[in-house]
Amino acid sequence: MNELIMEKLLTNAKLAAKKNTCCKYSGFTVGAALLDKDGNIHSGINVENQGIQSICAERTAFVSALTKGNHDFRAIAVVGKRVDAINFSKTLPCGYCRQFMSEYAGPDLLIITQDEADNKIYEYTLKELLPEAFLDF
């Protein structure tokens, strides 16, 4: 993937995580930025509540895109950090999000995250993170 596009996705994910925190229980904010086939970026954040119905940033980004009629996705950037931390750390989608994404994206969906302390960007495909999906791709 183009380095400029990857940086734009990471920047959008970080902005979402910093600006719209809804993590009063865990204190861990997560942002996601989903790229569709037309180059549009759909942001998402983790939204926590007292019950077990909290929703992850990856799924809010997908729901935002799907609500707008987008159904073809290329990449998603995911970043997370403690609210009081300076740097974002390597953050990967949970198992529930991986399975959810497999319903709406192909096995080649690129998943990007960054560890700012090490200044390292990590790239995975959905197939790498979910090698045996419930209903395989």
Side-chain angles (χ1 to χ4, degrees):
M1 170 162 277
N2 177 311
E3 192 174 311
L4 185 61
I5 293 172
M6 282 182 25
E7 193 58 44
K8 188 173 181 181
L9 286 172
L10 286 165
T11 298
N12 275 273
K14 291 173 192 176
L15 287 173
K18 289 178 183 176
K19 183 178 173 186
N20 302 312
T21 61
C22 292
C23 58
K24 66 182 180 179
Y25 299 102
S26 71
F28 194 81
T29 184
V30 180
L34 177 64
L35 178 69
D36 69 27
K37 71 172 176 67
D38 296 323
N40 300 309
I41 296 175
H42 310 273
S43 297
I45 59 167
N46 59 319
V47 180
E48 297 179 354
N49 64 5
Q50 283 184 322
I52 60 171
Q53 297 86 19
S54 296
I55 185 168
C56 300
E58 299 90 316
R59 286 181 280 142
T60 62
F62 266 87
V63 169
S64 174
L66 292 166
T67 300
K68 296 171 189 164
N70 295 289
H71 292 273
D72 193 352
F73 306 106
R74 301 292 182 246
I76 188 167
V78 183
V79 297
K81 72 179 190 75
R82 293 210 53 78
V83 173
D84 56 356
I86 295 171
N87 292 320
F88 283 93
S89 59
K90 180 180 177 182
T91 305
L92 294 172
C94 70
Y96 189 94
C97 284
R98 294 174 194 193
Q99 185 64 46
F100 181 92
M101 290 189 292
S102 77
E103 293 287 324
Y104 298 101
D108 295 329
L109 177 76
L110 185 63
I111 299 168
I112 306 160
T113 188
Q114 182 178 29
D115 187 324
E116 288 184 323
D118 294 340
N119 196 27
K120 185 163 180 174
I121 295 173
Y122 299 86
E123 299 176 52
Y124 305 89
T125 63
L126 183 55
K127 184 70 174 176
E128 288 176 300
L129 295 181
L130 189 65
E132 296 189 37
F134 176 68
L135 295 174
D136 209 1
F137 303 95

